[in-house]
Structure formats: structure tokens, C-alpha cells
Amino acid sequence: MSPDQLVDLAAEFAQAIGNAERFHARAATADTPEDNTAHAKAAARWEATAIRRREHLRAALREALSGAVTAMPDEALPVATWQRGRVEVRATTLDGARAVRVRYTPAQALAAGAALIACAAVTDEHSGGALTDILAAFPRNPNIRNNPANGDGKPA
């Protein structure tokens, strides 16, 4: 579905909601019971239309947004804390056409960060051990690098 079609679906949904609200207001201010009933029925019809259009819009959005988005971390600002109580991880699609944002609570950010570090450590072990050059806090893996040995043959 094209972006224009999505916008049209959203506009139809918004119009149905607006019409339902207008007829509810007219029913509330009607002078006669007959007018009240007529406006209430019209409001109910527009509400039913809005429900159908909302479901069409949701289905179209699910279809349009399904699948993975391939993105690279934003080089200028990969992590931001613009919103109080939120940590935002930023990326852009490979063609640079779309920004991708993932917002975490502080606890979620900590859990995601720990998981990323663990995955990086495992991957580092299998790829030759480059993390110690990047993060000096990581101990060297004796199975991957030739560490200087002390007198008893064990890594220093």
C-alpha cells in the first residue's frame, strides 16, 4: 500500500470520528425528541463506520510496517536521552531515507546493554578477540591471544 493510500485511510477514519462527534453534539442540543433520536442514530452509524475504517487502517499499517528494517547506528548520535526517563537508540536505514528509533526505559536499556555486551563478548571470542583493543576493561582471552607469560607459564 502506498503512503498516499495510508493517508487516505487515516483521513477517512478521522472524518468518520468527526462526524460521529458532531452528531452526538447535535443530539445533546436537539430541541425535540425526534431530532435527538435522528441525530443519535446518525452518530451510531458514523461510529460503526469509524470502527470499520479504524480496522482497515490498522490492517494496512500492519501490512506496511511488517518485516525487518535494516539500519545502521546513527554516527552522530547513536544514543540519546532527550526524554526524561527514556533512553533512545538511533539508527538510519542503509539508504539514509528513514530514521529508526527504539525507546527504552532505563531498566530496559540496562538489560539490552548487558545483552549486547554478552553477545559481543561471545562473538569476539569466535572472531579473534578485538574487544580488548577497544575496551581495555575486558580481560584478554588466553585461548585467543598470546599473552605475555610470567615465570610459571601462565598468562600474566
Side-chain angles (χ1 to χ4, degrees), residues 77-148:
L77 188 63
V79 179
T81 57
W82 300 119
Q83 295 178 336
R84 187 178 192 120
R86 295 278 180 221
V87 176
E88 185 175 273
V89 177
R90 298 167 159 218
T92 54
T93 54
L94 299 178
D95 62 0
R98 181 174 167 199
V100 179
R101 305 286 188 256
V102 178
R103 291 188 179 104
Y104 293 107
T105 64
Q108 291 169 329
L110 195 60
L116 284 170
I117 290 169
C119 289
V122 169
T123 303
D124 185 61
E125 184 175 319
H126 296 296
S127 65
L131 278 181
T132 53
D133 296 335
I134 298 168
L135 300 171
F138 276 104
R140 294 186 181 273
N141 185 335
N143 297 328
I144 293 179
R145 299 242 173 134
N146 292 329
N147 290 335

Side-chain angles (χ1 to χ4, degrees), residues 24-42:
H24 276 297
R26 288 179 184 169
T29 60
D31 295 332
T32 65
E34 294 82 20
D35 284 346
N36 180 296
T37 301
H39 292 311
K41 285 182 180 179

Side-chain angles (χ1 to χ4, degrees), residues 5-54:
Q5 290 171 318
L6 283 172
V7 169
D8 290 344
L9 283 174
E12 290 171 4
F13 169 64
Q15 182 181 11
I17 290 290
N19 287 340
E21 289 176 358
R22 276 190 286 285
F23 279 106
H24 276 297
R26 288 179 184 169
T29 60
D31 295 332
T32 65
E34 294 82 20
D35 284 346
N36 180 296
T37 301
H39 292 311
K41 285 182 180 179
R45 283 193 305 272
W46 278 109
E47 284 176 345
T49 300
I51 289 169
R52 286 191 307 274
R53 290 186 177 160
R54 179 178 52 225

